[in-house]
Amino acid sequence: MASAGRVLVRFGRALARHCPDSRCCVELLRAAEQTHTISSQLAIVARVKAVTAESKASSELLVSNAQNLTQAVVQVLKAAEAAAIKGLQQPPPGSEGEEVAAFCTQWRRTLSWHRARESLNPERDELGLRKTQVRAEPTLMAMVRGQPPQSKNDP
């Protein structure tokens, strides 16, 4: 889990290098740094736990750090969504940034397609207002997991 956190740190930093919006860039770098710190802590705690006797306190610390890493990863992905919406600069061909930008561009197209489809929804409520989303908007988290957007009514 700690190594997966480091992968997202690289993703966030690569995306920040190609983000023309300074606020989005700062937020991405902040979230990536926080993820890096928590990922390092988790790796240390896991190594210590592996060589020490089984204890409830060390298990709780390990679980707590894993939960903190999950929250930090979500923050990186939210910041990445904001940066992708604002737009990205074109990275040099063959760079890691090109792959990251392509991934974000694919998500942005999916989001635009979803929003366009929802805006064409002819269903209206009793006030004549268009009914809102039948399905949740696609997120980068869902794309990372490889899941399609779920209906709001799905468990």
Side-chain angles (χ1 to χ4, degrees):
M1 190 167 181
S3 63
R6 284 189 222 102
V7 169
L8 248 77
V9 168
R10 282 187 25 231
F11 171 80
R13 288 177 179 164
L15 194 57
R17 283 192 293 273
H18 303 290
C19 182
D21 185 276
S22 61
R23 286 186 4 202
C24 287
C25 179
V26 167
E27 181 62 22
L28 260 170
L29 290 174
R30 185 206 56 78
E33 190 58 36
Q34 182 180 13
T35 302
H36 175 71
T37 302
I38 295 170
S39 181
S40 297
Q41 287 174 351
L42 181 60
I44 292 167
V45 170
R47 274 187 247 121
V48 169
K49 182 166 174 26
V51 296
T52 61
E54 189 70 31
S55 76
K56 185 177 179 182
S58 64
S59 295
E60 288 174 355
L61 183 60
L62 191 63
V63 169
S64 174
N65 277 331
Q67 289 171 339
N68 290 341
L69 181 59
T70 301
Q71 291 171 352
V73 164
V74 167
Q75 290 304 314
V76 169
L77 291 173
K78 285 182 179 182
E81 286 178 354
I85 292 292
K86 292 275 187 168
L88 302 172
Q89 295 171 343
Q90 188 63 31
S95 68
E96 181 183 43
E98 182 180 40
E99 187 177 334
V100 168
F103 181 75
C104 289
T105 301
Q106 178 187 0
W107 169 77
R108 189 173 173 190
R109 278 191 209 120
T110 303
L111 179 65
S112 295
W113 178 82
H114 172 82
R115 287 179 175 174
R117 190 180 76 199
E118 287 296 315
S119 70
L120 296 174
N121 184 1
E123 295 181 41
R124 306 278 177 182
D125 64 8
E126 62 278 354
L127 297 173
L129 301 172
R130 181 180 53 84
K131 289 186 179 179
T132 57
Q133 305 168 341
V134 175
R135 294 178 55 111
E137 286 187 341
T139 63
L140 275 177
M141 181 66 79
M143 281 188 67
V144 168
R145 290 181 180 163
Q147 299 172 339
Q150 292 185 352
S151 172
K152 285 190 174 183
N153 299 330
D154 288 350

